[in-house]
Amino acid sequence: MTPLLWTLIAIQIAMGVFDTFYHHEFTERLAWRPSQRHELQLHGVRNLLYAFLFLVLGWLEVHGLFALLIIAVLVVEVVITLMDFVEEDLSRKLPPSERINHTLLAINYGAILVLLMPVLIGWAMQPTGIKSAYTGWLSIIAAAAAVGAALCGLRDFAAARRLGRMTIAPAKNLVEKLQGRQTVLVTGATGFIGSRLVAALAGAGHQVIALVRNPAKAEMFSPPITVITSLDQLPSDAPIDAVVNLAGEPIGNGFWTAEKRRKILDSRINMTGDVVRLIARLDKKPAVLVSGSAIGWYGLWQDQVLTESAKSHACFSHELCEAWEQAARPAGEYGVRVVNLRIGLVIGTEGGFVTRLLTPFEFGLGGPIGSGKQWMSWIERDDLVRLIAHVIARSDLSGPINATAPIPVTNAKFTEELGRRLHRPALFRIPAGLLRRFGGDFANELLLGGQRVLPNKALSNGFVFRHETLRSAFEAIL
């Protein structure tokens, strides 16, 4: 085997490692997405085949039938890769970086086959046998790659087996409070919360109008869900019973630079303004506008218990949420009941902040943030969808409503409970000073600060949480 061939194999290994850890583990988090079970099974088989190839080609020269076996393994690998391409297209939308990496992997693998197949064919023409082909550091690298590929394959099979035990409850049962057949407009319909709400409404037989700003994401919805890309597409005589406004730039996916703050604010205020203008021109007004907000409205209060009647402390989170709520209030001038849903930390495995913690915790690298004394007011995603349906159904509910579970926990308790559920230690504390140095207000308000929020209005108006405790929520989603 020539130095060029070994160079291409080394490049393939490097790109494969990048794809596995950056995409599969950290950004896409395939090991915790039930929809990706079959993809992980394909990855597992392919990784074990790679381990076999690295070990054989790095240490041995195989002739006759053994060379034919290696050729067969290479053909099987190509078939599995093609099946993987199909599975990925059917089950998820690949980010641009992963598509580029996959293309480069395919091109490089093709070059490897062009150089390797003549060698293997030559070996196949010789009498069947095996002889040592130790090449020093190249053989050692090949052995290391074989061990790594084998471990990744076993990891993929274990994750696929776990996903087989993770069941998602039917969504239609989450909106049973809504009577009759209602038409609901949902903005932010492709998001972590919005997608589950849309599935629940459509599954229960309600008419859903999903606003999807990115046409590429419209494929995730099919009839009877009506997909629009602009509110201007709705005629004035459109019959809409309720509007749920959840759209907005994510706040936790990057530091709060001046540009990021502007995007966060503008995305919410502009969309909410568009919703109010739609309501103004509709011949028949919807009964209710459920508009998103967050518990960041209260600012940072340390240990003080916060209900809907609490005051606020000035900070960017409060500025953002107050502007968002103010943008929704003019809808009340048209006789529409306005509810500002102050949402806490939403727990689920298909999105939200917990998904960023699962991989490091699973590998034993999780732990408290700073002192761990800051409060985390959370809500399980299905409970949030149920609360939205409850708010729509209850005509006596308006104004701010805390969308958090009744029992908030400290960050130390949260990490302890997550570690317990995953059977891993949670000992790697992240220093507060380090976070403040690099994260500024982002770290202070989202990671090191907190709010001890209670859902008084929801409880006093008859809403019953399925998951009052964090342990119950983790048992449901993990």
Side-chain angles (χ1 to χ4, degrees):
M1 293 177 48
T2 66
L4 176 59
L5 180 55
W6 276 113
T7 300
L8 293 178
I9 291 174
I11 292 173
Q12 192 79 357
I13 292 171
M15 289 193 295
V17 169
F18 171 76
D19 193 42
T20 296
F21 287 96
Y22 180 75
H23 292 125
H24 298 171
E25 290 291 352
F26 293 106
T27 59
E28 295 297 289
R29 295 177 284 271
L30 302 184
W32 292 97
R33 293 169 61 176
S35 60
Q36 306 314 124
R37 182 188 178 195
H38 296 305
E39 181 182 352
L40 285 171
Q41 290 173 334
L42 290 171
H43 291 179
V45 174
R46 187 171 58 192
N47 279 326
L48 293 182
L49 290 179
Y50 270 135
F52 173 73
L53 289 171
F54 291 146
L55 201 58
V56 171
L57 297 177
W59 289 80
L60 303 172
E61 186 174 307
V62 292
H63 299 159
L65 293 177
F66 293 118
L68 292 176
L69 174 62
I70 299 300
I71 294 174
V73 170
L74 290 170
V75 172
V76 170
E77 196 284 334
V78 171
V79 172
I80 290 175
T81 296
L82 294 175
M83 293 172 62
D84 188 32
F85 286 164
V86 173
E87 179 65 29
E88 288 169 343
D89 282 339
L90 292 175
S91 61
R92 66 185 176 103
K93 205 75 177 178
L94 269 66
S97 61
E98 190 172 4
R99 285 194 179 277
I100 292 171
N101 196 67
H102 284 188
T103 301
L104 294 175
L105 280 166
I107 293 172
N108 195 67
Y109 190 70
I112 290 172
L113 290 181
V114 168
L115 296 175
L116 182 59
M117 289 303 289
V119 175
L120 291 175
I121 292 173
W123 288 353
M125 302 299 292
Q126 300 181 34
T128 299
I130 298 175
K131 68 177 184 178
S132 174
Y134 177 71
T135 56
W137 63 273
L138 288 175
S139 293
I140 294 173
I141 292 175
V147 172
L151 290 175
C152 287
L154 295 175
R155 150 76 170 168
D156 290 332
F157 282 124
R161 183 179 179 186
R162 176 179 60 205
L163 293 180
R165 299 192 301 268
M166 292 172 63
T167 58
I168 300 178
K172 66 179 182 179
N173 298 328
L174 303 176
V175 294
E176 55 190 11
K177 292 283 186 180
L178 295 183
Q179 300 299 315
R181 187 174 187 269
Q182 301 207 26
T183 300
V184 183
L185 167 64
V186 180
T187 74
T190 60
F192 174 48
I193 302 167
S195 59
R196 185 65 167 165
L197 174 63
V198 167
L201 292 168
H206 300 287
Q207 176 63 44
V208 181
I209 303 173
L211 177 63
V212 179
R213 286 302 183 95
N214 183 355
K217 293 185 177 181
E219 299 175 2
M220 65 186 293
F221 299 124
S222 58
I225 299 170
T226 301
V227 177
I228 59 174
T229 56
S230 170
L231 294 179
D232 294 336
Q233 295 174 254
L234 293 174
S236 297
D237 61 353
I240 298 175
D241 299 304
V243 179
V244 181
N245 177 36
L246 301 171
E249 173 80 10
I251 67 171
N253 65 345
F255 292 149
W256 290 347
T257 62
E259 177 65 15
K260 180 67 172 178
R261 291 176 190 245
R262 184 189 63 77
K263 286 183 178 180
I264 292 172
L265 275 166
D266 289 352
S267 64
R268 286 160 174 77
I269 295 171
N270 293 342
M271 174 54 68
T272 306
D274 290 344
V275 169
V276 172
R277 284 187 285 275
L278 169 68
I279 290 172
R281 67 178 176 82
L282 288 176
D283 297 336
K284 180 186 176 183
K285 312 302 181 188
V288 58
L289 165 61
V290 181
S291 192
S293 184
I295 58 175
W297 186 92
Y298 298 105
L300 305 179
W301 283 90
Q302 295 182 341
D303 288 334
Q304 182 169 332
V305 173
L306 304 171
T307 66
E308 288 85 354
S309 61
K311 296 181 180 180
S312 64
H313 278 167
C315 61
F316 175 70
S317 297
H318 169 72
E319 175 189 347
L320 167 65
C321 296
E322 176 62 17
W324 200 1
E325 294 185 12
Q326 289 283 3
R329 283 175 190 146
E333 299 173 7
Y334 303 100
V336 176
R337 176 168 57 95
V338 178
V339 175
N340 302 115
L341 211 58
R342 293 177 179 167
I343 302 171
L345 301 167
V346 184
I347 289 181
T349 57
E350 297 180 347
F353 78 104
V354 168
T355 57
R356 300 186 183 95
L357 302 177
L358 289 174
T359 297
F361 267 77
E362 186 179 12
F363 286 102
L365 301 176
I369 299 175
S371 69
K373 296 178 180 179
Q374 66 272 33
W375 286 92
M376 301 178 70
S377 297
W378 58 275
I379 185 170
E380 194 268 333
R381 183 175 64 158
D382 282 358
D383 265 347
L384 176 56
V385 171
R386 292 178 57 248
L387 180 58
I388 291 173
H390 181 86
V391 166
I392 294 174
R394 290 291 298 265
S395 60
D396 54 337
L397 280 173
S398 63
I401 294 180
N402 292 336
T404 61
I407 306 177
V409 297
T410 63
N411 176 258
K413 180 63 177 177
F414 185 95
T415 54
E416 176 189 334
E417 193 61 43
L418 181 57
R420 185 199 68 82
R421 183 61 192 170
L422 297 179
H423 308 291
R424 299 292 190 276
L427 304 175
F428 285 84
R429 187 181 301 273
I430 304 176
L434 181 66
L435 291 172
R436 288 193 178 96
R437 179 181 179 88
F438 291 100
D441 288 343
F442 171 88
N444 274 328
E445 296 183 33
L446 290 190
L447 303 177
L448 300 171
Q451 298 87 12
R452 189 179 183 181
V453 179
L454 297 183
N456 273 17
K457 285 179 74 171
L459 293 172
S460 62
N461 281 272
F463 183 75
V464 178
F465 288 84
R466 290 180 179 174
H467 304 291
E468 294 188 347
T469 67
L470 190 63
R471 178 167 299 189
S472 171
F474 280 156
E475 288 176 352
I477 68 171
L478 298 178

